[in-house]
Amino acid sequence: MYDMMSNQQSIAAELLAAKDRVRFFIGDAHWGEDGRYKERLLSECLGKLTASNVAIGTGFIKNDTKITTQIDLIVYDSQCPLLFQSGDFVIVEPEAVFGIIEVKSNASNSELT
């Protein structure tokens, strides 16, 4: 019998075990790359759990008049045309977006609200 809670707990344990691997090597030499590693780790994990038409990238959302700031992870419909793509870096239109994720190593309640 499938135990959803145990499965989710094992995924969380896997992420927790891997999250500091880059920091073990580089310490505080470059927080940006440490953060980028964590974004990639989460993206790869989510990619294993999503439908075939769902893609995950980093980049920007743009319409005719506005563009967002850089977004850590954009979850988007891979069937929609992209404005730009290079590897996992994308610029997409709002209609293609299922959701966005900002990855934080530490967050307080005030930041979440």
Side-chain angles (χ1 to χ4, degrees):
M1 176 183 222
Y2 174 69
D3 182 351
M4 185 185 313
M5 182 60 76
S6 293
N7 183 51
Q8 297 301 314
Q9 288 171 336
S10 73
I11 292 168
E14 182 180 336
L15 288 171
L16 286 171
K19 74 178 181 65
D20 290 323
R21 288 195 179 140
V22 167
R23 191 171 297 177
F24 295 148
F25 288 105
I26 68 171
D28 62 358
H30 199 287
W31 293 115
E33 286 306 312
D34 181 64
R36 182 65 190 126
Y37 164 73
K38 289 175 179 157
E39 292 166 13
R40 182 172 297 269
L41 185 67
L42 181 57
S43 176
E44 290 171 359
C45 179
L46 292 173
K48 295 174 190 175
L49 303 171
T50 58
S52 61
N53 69 312
V54 176
I56 302 169
T58 184
F60 300 89
I61 302 169
K62 182 178 182 353
N63 67 15
D64 291 336
T65 59
K66 295 181 183 177
I67 188 162
T68 64
T69 58
Q70 188 273 340
I71 298 171
D72 293 341
L73 298 177
I74 303 170
V75 182
Y76 64 94
D77 185 343
S78 63
Q79 303 301 309
C80 291
L82 301 174
L83 297 173
F84 179 84
Q85 181 177 24
S86 179
D88 70 340
F89 178 83
V90 294
I91 301 174
V92 300
E93 294 180 294
E95 298 78 23
V97 177
F98 293 126
I100 63 171
I101 300 170
E102 289 298 316
V103 178
K104 302 291 181 198
S105 293
N106 297 301
S108 65
N109 287 341
S110 63
E111 288 176 308
L112 294 175
T113 55

